Amino acid sequence: MESRYGYEVPAEDVELTHVELGSPMGELMRRYWQPVCVSDELTDLPLKVRILCEDLVLFRDGTGRIGCLDPHCAHRGTSLEYGRIEAEGIRCCYHGWLYDTEGKCIDMPCEQPGYAERMDVRLPGYPVHEFGGLVFIYMGPPAKQPVFPIYDILDTRDRDDVVLRGMRMWDDSSIGFVRDCNWLQHFENVVDPWHLVVLHQQVGLGRFEGALLHGERPDISFERTSLGVRYRLVSNLPNGNLLERYAECVLPNIFLVSNIHETGERPKNKDRCSEVSWAVPVDDEHVRAFTIAAWPARDGIPEPDWRPRTDTTSPEGAPLNRASPSARRGERTFTERQRFPDDMEAQESQRPIAVHALENLTLADNGIVMLRRLLHQSIDRMRQGKDPMNIVRDPAKNTAIETNAWNTVIAPPLTDVGE
Ligand code: FES
Ligand SMILES: [Fe+2]
């Protein structure tokens, strides 16, 4: 036995985990459009958000334009989260300075007319892009701003069978809601399919409805894709069919998890993942996630809730103890959480920031190794002045960018019954 006496915990991998302004990963994340809220959350009240260790205030003015500004009024610092939204912008509650969505102060009611124009006060902020029911901001160097990437799932120009729907991926009503840990713990969980077998089937709540975990021990491998890393899982199902499944991490923080509710009953070829999700660092020790789903629709009208999703599922879509009356985060007792741990318990307890130097990675962790390596390489590219992976600049090439996550179900070949 090794004594723990004098045992010291090494530092975390700062390059991959810290996200404040000027940190390597913080700067990498800032090179991409990041989701900050759902469009419907911009109401008649301002919305304060925290992302990449920065506090910001978002609002939609009376004409529909969205502003994303430093929260502190340029006059004497009162937070605009207490401001009043008007037709032309947001007005500070303290002395009434009015800011438009670009951050320009356009009215100072305590001063003489024309004073605001002469002062030319501007509050810093970030560009905003609304897409698919989510609000995105770009926090990087202005000269490096990319176009918003249109992945195949999001390219619905020629489709009338789906509408795009933006949502927070989980909320407090989900016990699978992972929140209080570093973003990378949550992101790399997507290419950790073995935890589905253990945590979600053998140990934890184990409420998978689909065929994924009801076959034999699956064969799992990991592959580099055009956008990042994916796993390939092949499982012989009890009904004799074969399930081939892929889930993908798209650098730096997008993930695609194909339908976990696949029953495996009917053969199908490349049933593509219908959602694009983002694991967004709030700060170094907190994460939140957003999703745009290609939601089934009829004549442009979204179908009613067509499967358990936002408030009952984990990142992999595992239904979370829906039978339990105490399934909300924070409502389960510690003993319940010990008896039936889920993603939240597994990931948050890796420490607020997991310490890679203490890990003993195995072949089962190969997807995680590949992902971390690619993230380091992307940071290196950025340092060399090049665009990191998956930056899109050419609008002409920004259509239906191919993603790499789907389920395929193969029926066994018909056997020859003889003459
Ligand atoms: S602090 Fe905002 S107007 Fe004075
Ligand atoms: Fe999970």
Side-chain angles (χ1 to χ4, degrees):
M1 178 187 178
E2 278 194 48
S3 170
R4 198 178 191 283
Y5 176 75
Y7 177 89
E8 284 185 16
V9 177
E12 63 266 20
D13 183 341
V14 169
E15 179 159 303
L16 293 191
T17 57
H18 287 212
V19 293
E20 67 271 16
L21 184 73
S23 65
M25 183 53 70
E27 288 302 311
L28 185 71
M29 290 282 184
R30 282 170 171 79
R31 296 295 180 93
Y32 303 80
W33 289 96
Q34 299 289 352
V36 279
C37 69
V38 176
S39 292
D40 291 348
E41 291 174 312
L42 296 183
T43 62
D44 60 329
L45 292 174
L47 180 70
K48 188 168 180 195
V49 299
R50 184 164 173 78
I51 173 172
L52 301 176
C53 304
E54 294 187 33
D55 291 318
L56 300 164
V57 160
L58 283 123
F59 64 98
R60 191 192 299 274
D61 74 9
T63 67
R65 292 170 304 193
I66 300 174
C68 173
L69 302 178
D70 186 304
H72 295 291
C73 175
H75 180 215
R76 280 165 48 204
T78 294
S79 176
L80 294 176
E81 72 193 285
Y82 301 109
R84 294 285 175 271
I85 296 176
E86 301 186 358
E88 294 183 314
I90 187 167
R91 191 179 291 279
C92 177
C93 68
Y94 206 2
H95 314 96
W97 285 23
L98 177 67
Y99 300 91
D100 68 14
T101 54
E102 301 291 311
K104 181 176 167 53
C105 181
I106 53 176
D107 188 31
M108 296 175 180
C110 305
E111 305 302 328
Q112 294 298 320
Y115 201 82
E117 288 73 25
R118 289 202 299 279
M119 285 274 285
D120 193 24
V121 172
R122 286 166 198 272
L123 206 52
Y126 291 122
V128 174
H129 181 68
E130 198 171 14
F131 183 88
L134 294 182
V135 177
F136 294 79
I137 60 173
Y138 173 73
M139 303 169 71
K144 301 283 187 185
Q145 181 177 319
V147 297
F148 180 81
I150 305 295
Y151 295 107
D152 44 13
I153 299 161
L154 305 179
D155 196 341
T156 56
R157 288 169 303 169
D158 301 323
R159 298 183 64 179
D160 58 8
D161 59 330
V162 293
V163 292
L164 295 182
R165 205 162 161 180
M167 60 193 96
R168 288 183 185 264
M169 194 150 181
W170 322 284
D171 55 30
D172 284 327
S173 65
S174 165
I175 60 167
F177 174 59
V178 179
R179 184 185 64 191
D180 298 330
C181 66
N182 183 252
W183 78 278
L184 186 58
Q185 277 142 255
H186 198 43
F187 187 49
E188 61 191 16
N189 175 65
V190 174
V191 282
D192 178 12
W194 286 108
H195 95 276
L196 305 177
V197 179
V198 180
L199 179 70
H200 292 318
Q201 187 184 31
Q202 297 168 358
V203 176
L205 298 169
R207 300 286 197 275
F208 277 78
E209 291 173 341
L212 174 59
L213 297 179
H214 296 294
E216 298 169 1
R217 186 177 190 270
D219 283 331
I220 291 175
S221 56
F222 302 94
E223 301 170 350
R224 174 83 158 77
T225 69
S226 53
L227 304 174
V229 179
R230 70 177 179 181
Y231 72 71
R232 175 176 185 264
L233 181 151
V234 180
S235 179
N236 288 307
L237 304 180
N239 64 8
N241 290 343
L242 187 92
L243 172 69
E244 183 186 46
R245 170 184 173 76
Y246 296 93
E248 182 179 32
C249 282
V250 174
L251 262 67
N253 65 328
I254 294 177
F255 55 96
L256 297 97
V257 177
S258 32
N259 182 12
I260 201 84
H261 305 291
E262 173 57 57
T263 62
E265 283 165 15
R266 279 201 294 269
K268 55 182 66 169
N269 186 33
K270 283 193 177 181
D271 179 26
R272 285 187 172 276
C273 170
S274 59
E275 300 177 0
V276 179
S277 306
W278 287 256
V280 185
V282 174
D283 53 33
D284 293 349
E285 298 185 358
H286 300 90
V287 60
R288 76 168 70 93
F290 293 93
T291 295
I292 300 178
W295 196 273
R298 192 168 298 171
D299 301 327
I301 310 293
E303 298 276 6
D305 209 344
W306 57 295
R307 60 176 176 166
R309 189 63 217 181
T310 52
D311 61 353
T312 54
T313 58
S314 74
E316 304 78 29
L320 294 170
N321 199 14
R322 298 165 68 204
S324 165
S326 57
R328 297 171 68 88
R329 181 186 168 108
E331 291 183 355
R332 296 205 306 159
T333 65
F334 184 63
T335 304
E336 282 179 300
R337 294 174 58 203
Q338 283 186 297
R339 292 199 191 286
F340 303 106
D342 202 81
D343 284 301
M344 184 181 91
E345 286 74 29
Q347 293 168 42
E348 293 184 358
S349 68
Q350 289 176 287
R351 297 183 175 87
I353 305 176
V355 180
H356 298 174
L358 289 175
E359 296 173 339
N360 292 281
L361 300 180
T362 68
L363 289 178
D365 301 306
N366 217 0
I368 289 167
V369 173
M370 293 167 71
L371 186 61
R372 291 179 187 173
R373 194 172 291 155
L374 271 182
L375 286 168
H376 278 299
Q377 287 172 7
S378 249
I379 289 170
D380 287 344
R381 281 186 63 85
M382 182 182 64
R383 283 187 175 127
Q384 293 161 13
K386 300 173 186 165
D387 274 340
M389 273 186 83
N390 301 329
I391 289 290
V392 182
R393 300 215 173 275
D394 184 356
K397 293 183 180 157
N398 192 26
T399 55
I401 299 167
E402 188 175 5
T403 57
N404 306 283
W406 58 77
N407 287 327
T408 289
V409 178
I410 302 166
L414 291 174
T415 49
D416 187 352
V417 293
E419 297 174 4

